Amino acid sequence: NAGVMQNPRHLVRRRGQEARLRCSPMKGHSHVYWYRQLPEEGLKFMVYLQKENIIDESGMPKERFSAEFPKEGPSILRIQQVVRGDSAAYFCASSPDRGETQYFGPGTRLLVL
Amino acid sequence: QKEVEQDPGPLSVPEGAIVSLNCTYSNSAFQYFMWYRQYSRKGPELLMYTYSSGNKEDGRFTAQVDKSSKYISLFIRDSQPSDSATYLCAMSAQSNTGKLIFGQGTTLQVKP
């Protein structure tokens, strides 16, 4: 049973470009969570999605960031017009139900030049 | 004040030592408590999950929750070099929010 998959594992963007991060949850999991980890900091919650629905986006910056989890395909975290402060590791987690047993993927490390 | 406080360390111990890792929190509504282990450049891996107060043991790992003191601990017995990693505490208030609040993480090094 494959774990949570994220791609790309590393992403380099120049300021002003767009970044798209993908997350495929574990088989049978329909709940997806995105977290951001800045250097020397813990993980910060960004958004919680269920298939085709955003359940909680209280941790998402108001501008430039969006997330979706379509009926078919992976969850996407999209960052428009990236700035250097967006450089971080972005982790996706999934769970089989609306609970706290979240299993994390390996992360996508975004570097903005 | 952060909702969850965790000493970042680093904590260095000899192989075989008992390790104690701790977090304090301010939100009395937290009921679900977790410990994750994160190796360098990897994703967090769930180690322990507890609900409300009490102890839970799994092999060499023991998790304790003291809600009256807003204090949680993770003990590692007979520590091994392979335990060298960053340990993150996480917690949430309700079972259906999905939102985990993490501590900063404690970096542990177990020396052979």
Side-chain angles (χ1 to χ4, degrees), chain A:
Chain A
N1 185 16
V4 177
M5 300 179 69
Q6 290 187 248
N7 67 80
R9 296 290 306 276
H10 300 273
L11 183 60
V12 179
R13 285 288 179 267
R14 296 191 180 278
R15 283 178 295 171
Q17 292 183 321
E18 178 180 288
R20 282 188 179 232
L21 287 63
R22 297 175 187 78
C23 170
S24 296
M26 289 178 69
K27 187 177 181 180
H29 290 194
S30 60
H31 299 252
V32 165
Y33 317 81
W34 286 93
Y35 292 83
R36 177 165 63 176
Q37 187 174 38
L38 293 168
E40 308 304 323
E41 292 188 19
L43 282 80
K44 304 292 186 187
F45 169 82
M46 298 182 75
V47 63
Y48 165 29
L49 310 104
Q50 198 177 355
K51 284 285 187 180
E52 301 185 280
N53 288 305
I54 296 175
I55 307 300
D56 181 353
E57 56 182 347
S58 59
M60 287 279 272
K62 298 293 184 226
E63 298 178 347
R64 304 187 297 108
F65 285 72
S66 62
E68 62 176 7
F69 189 16
K71 187 176 180 180
E72 301 290 337
S75 175
I76 306 287
L77 178 68
R78 181 183 179 200
I79 311 173
Q80 294 178 290
Q81 299 174 358
V82 295
V83 300
R84 287 198 175 134
D86 297 332
S87 296
Y90 292 82
F91 290 97
C92 166
S94 72
S95 68
D97 53 26
R98 190 177 286 212
E100 280 65 47
T101 309
Q102 297 181 20
Y103 298 89
F104 282 78
T108 293
R109 281 156 183 82
L110 172 66
L111 175 63
V112 179
L113 301 177

Side-chain angles (χ1 to χ4, degrees), chain B residues 10-17 19 21 36-43 45 47 60-61 74 76-88 106-112:
Chain B
L11 179 62
S12 182
V13 301
E15 183 175 355
V19 176
L21 303 165
Y36 284 84
R37 177 174 62 193
Q38 186 177 22
Y39 291 111
S40 181
R41 314 292 287 178
K42 303 290 186 183
E45 170 194 359
L47 279 178
R60 296 185 295 111
F61 298 91
L74 177 70
I76 307 174
R77 291 182 298 280
D78 187 25
S79 56
Q80 304 295 309
S82 59
D83 294 328
S84 298
T86 296
Y87 290 79
L88 300 156
T106 298
T107 299
L108 171 67
Q109 184 181 23
V110 181
K111 295 184 176 179

